[in-house]
Amino acid sequence: MLLNLSLFLLFLTASNITVQAIGVNWGTTSSHPLPPDKVVELLKSNKITKVKLFDADPLVLQALSGSNIGVTVGIPNSMLKSLNSSKKVAESWVHDNVTRYVSSGSSGVRIEYVAVGDEPFQQSYGEQYHPFVIGAAMNIQIALARVSLANQVKVVVPCSYDTFQSESSLPSKGHFRPDLNKTMTELLTFLTKHHSPFFATISPFIIPHRNKNISLDFSLFKETKHSRNDGHRTYKNSFDLGYDTLVTALSTAGFPEMDVVVAKIGWPTDGAANATPSAAETFMKGLMNHLHSKSGTPLRPRNPPIETYIFSLLDEDQRSVVNGNFERHWGVFTFDGQAKYNVDLGQGSKNLVNAQYVEYLSSKWCVVNNNKDLSNATASALDACSTADCTALSPGGSCFNISWPANISYAFNNYYQLHDQRADSCDFGGLGLITTVDPSVGNCRFPVELRTSHSESLYGVCLLQWMILVTINTILHDFL
């Protein structure tokens, strides 16, 4: 009887090791971010137990203190060169962004990973970060070891979906980009030595967006006749295809047993064709069902990724749109924490809980004054969109089909909201008009911004102070 009980407990322990967690990416590239305490409430309300950050904003980390949410703190690419050049800089970063939060015990932050760089190998960056990534990771690892946190906090490097590829689109031909071969071998050796997983982005949305030969249904986990055969293996969705392409790349590089964390995966809801709440809901439900089935993939059956982080928690109106206007619309929630659709993130509830007691600016909008000569209105709108977020006006976007001059009003209003509803930001040479009547049309929402501003964040001040410290340390390092 005791033997059976021991075996049962051993089985439970082994099972817990393989149970994979679902987390979210929390980005803060917003003109008016939802206050961190509201975001942490949102995470708790939806029973989200893991979150991946792209930096180490002190306000965000303070809000996460005592929450028992597992946290990945990020190091921006702009810091890699300094961290690579000096162990002192790495020690300062670890002290300021890890040690001080972890050392508070149960009232501190449960930091699990330090992500070195934000997809620094992304092809659009060229090779500008390649020389610094491994050195920066090593120095952070050494700094963590010096404060006895190396076993508790793992060092990882998030890799973009274009880090690995297959010319035939078949997983069996998967490999890392040739320009990354040497660096990737160094990274995988480092990760293996320190028992850290491989963080990778899987992007099923990008596949049909860029390859018209791939069925949309294939990416959305829909039952389809367009499955793809790779030898004796059959692929029924883009996730398995992308994941196994990475698995083959890892095997080809000599690391077939490497654990994988899907660091970013999601579906945008605006800014492009097929980027809709309906498609996103279909994708997310299909992904959740697939992950929770624990069926794994053809190359790794019954062995799904050890963790998966949904991209993203909230929309971000200041994200770069180099890869497409959809980049600002990955959120499961809108910028103000309201669910775009319903999905069970694995906590047993099909309905997401919205952010509560959100504070907005006044119910005022800026629209075009139809009583004025509008011959130059388009030029004014284009000027407004150079700083404001007008991505919903993109082909396929939620505001693409609103007629002129309503689209001009949309641009005017976003500029007005960006500038905290200042009266002079609705001037546009006399073409603007402030109204208290909501001009939203159908699915095209004219937003009212939050009563918060990124410029008010302590992060900007702390980042400046940290960069000054980095510069001083680097100068001293070079001098000595």
Side-chain angles (χ1 to χ4, degrees):
M1 181 70 179
L2 286 174
L3 179 61
N4 289 340
L5 180 61
S6 299
L7 288 172
F8 179 66
L9 291 173
L10 182 63
F11 170 75
L12 283 181
T13 304
S15 297
N16 286 335
I17 293 172
T18 59
V19 168
Q20 52 114 30
I22 306 295
V24 295
N25 285 267
W26 172 5
T28 55
T29 316
S30 303
S31 60
H32 296 69
L34 194 63
D37 60 328
K38 294 288 185 191
V39 179
V40 173
E41 287 176 15
L42 184 67
L43 294 169
K44 288 179 176 178
S45 297
N46 289 284
K47 298 183 174 62
I48 295 169
T49 58
K50 288 182 180 286
V51 67
K52 177 172 163 283
L53 309 174
F54 295 93
D55 51 30
D57 186 327
L59 291 181
V60 169
L61 290 172
Q62 286 165 20
L64 285 163
S65 295
S67 67
N68 201 35
I69 293 171
V71 177
T72 299
V73 291
I75 297 176
N77 293 331
S78 58
M79 298 180 182
L80 295 177
K81 185 175 182 180
S82 297
L83 290 167
N84 169 72
S85 67
S86 170
K87 289 183 174 64
K88 290 289 185 185
V89 172
E91 287 173 10
S92 295
W93 191 92
V94 167
H95 174 269
D96 293 345
N97 301 290
V98 180
T99 311
R100 68 163 53 166
Y101 296 104
V102 171
S103 60
S104 301
S106 61
S107 63
V109 183
R110 187 159 65 88
I111 297 176
E112 298 178 328
Y113 299 104
V114 172
V116 178
D118 179 15
E119 300 187 340
F121 303 128
Q122 192 174 127
Q123 204 157 13
S124 61
Y125 296 146
E127 298 185 4
Q128 60 178 310
Y129 302 119
H130 292 195
F132 315 122
V133 176
I134 307 302
M138 288 179 171
N139 284 343
I140 292 292
Q141 181 71 41
I142 291 168
L144 287 169
R146 286 193 173 182
V147 291
S148 302
L149 287 176
N151 291 328
Q152 181 178 340
V153 181
K154 299 297 183 182
V155 178
V156 295
V157 177
C159 292
S160 53
Y161 66 88
D162 59 8
T163 303
F164 50 96
Q165 56 192 204
S166 171
E167 283 73 21
S168 65
S169 297
L170 296 177
S172 61
K173 304 297 181 183
H175 60 87
F176 289 110
R177 282 205 328 261
D179 61 298
L180 288 174
N181 281 342
K182 181 176 180 295
T183 304
M184 202 53 63
T185 298
E186 292 175 349
L187 172 60
L188 292 167
T189 301
F190 168 82
L191 295 175
T192 300
K193 178 180 179 181
H194 299 290
H195 309 289
S196 295
F198 189 86
F199 267 46
T201 294
I202 306 290
S203 192
F205 173 76
I206 297 293
I207 295 175
H209 187 68
R210 295 187 175 177
N211 186 345
K212 304 307 178 187
N213 294 324
I214 300 292
S215 159
L216 180 63
D217 288 352
F218 187 70
S219 287
L220 292 176
F221 293 93
K222 288 186 176 181
E223 289 296 327
T224 173
K225 296 178 181 177
H226 301 289
S227 57
R228 297 175 70 86
N229 294 319
D230 186 6
H232 63 279
R233 298 184 180 91
T234 299
Y235 288 88
K236 297 181 179 180
N237 60 74
S238 289
F239 173 80
D240 286 355
L241 198 76
Y243 191 85
D244 276 2
T245 299
L246 170 60
V247 169
T248 302
L250 290 168
S251 297
T252 302
F255 298 85
E257 304 301 321
M258 174 69 69
D259 283 333
V260 173
V261 167
V262 176
K264 283 168 63 176
I265 185 168
W267 198 278
T269 57
D270 211 336
N274 303 322
T276 65
S278 174
E281 180 174 15
T282 300
F283 171 78
M284 287 295 296
K285 286 179 175 176
L287 176 65
M288 291 299 108
N289 289 337
H290 187 48
L291 291 175
H292 291 128
S293 73
K294 299 184 178 64
S295 58
T297 63
L299 280 180
R300 288 191 173 181
R302 295 174 298 284
N303 187 18
I306 59 173
E307 295 176 10
T308 300
Y309 290 84
I310 303 305
F311 187 68
S312 184
L313 181 65
L314 301 161
D315 283 349
E316 301 169 72
D317 68 338
Q318 298 294 298
R319 272 185 65 82
S320 168
V321 292
V322 169
N323 294 323
N325 289 335
F326 54 83
E327 287 288 356
R328 294 178 176 173
H329 304 278
W330 288 100
V332 175
F333 294 86
T334 53
F335 72 96
D336 50 353
Q338 308 305 298
K340 298 177 183 177
Y341 48 84
N342 281 310
V343 62
D344 182 355
L345 292 176
Q347 310 307 324
S349 173
K350 290 184 170 60
N351 295 319
L352 297 174
V353 179
N354 293 333
Q356 303 297 309
Y357 308 110
V358 178
E359 294 185 27
Y360 296 88
L361 296 174
S362 302
S363 296
K364 296 190 296 185
W365 296 264
C366 178
V367 296
V368 71
N369 188 340
N370 288 313
N371 294 321
K372 298 288 186 177
D373 177 6
L374 301 182
S375 56
N376 292 322
T378 299
S380 295
L382 289 171
D383 189 44
C385 291
S386 66
T387 52
D389 177 29
C390 297
T391 52
L393 294 170
S394 309
S398 61
C399 299
F400 177 59
N401 289 322
I402 63 172
S403 59
W404 188 94
N407 53 358
I408 305 297
S409 291
Y410 183 86
F412 282 9
N413 182 64
N414 279 24
Y415 185 87
Y416 174 65
Q417 302 295 338
L418 177 67
H419 293 88
D420 298 321
Q421 297 185 352
R422 288 201 324 260
D424 62 348
S425 65
C426 186
D427 184 32
F428 299 105
L431 298 179
L433 177 70
I434 295 173
T435 179
T436 56
V437 178
D438 187 349
S440 298
V441 182
N443 292 327
C444 178
R445 177 188 180 191
F446 280 57
V448 171
E449 265 298 357
L450 301 178
R451 194 178 295 280
T452 171
S453 176
H454 194 67
S455 61
E456 297 170 4
S457 172
L458 177 65
Y459 174 62
V461 176
C462 292
L463 179 60
L464 176 62
Q465 292 173 343
W466 194 89
M467 290 303 289
I468 291 171
L469 177 64
V470 166
T471 304
I472 292 171
N473 275 327
T474 302
I475 292 170
L476 288 173
H477 176 268
D478 291 343
F479 180 75
L480 295 172

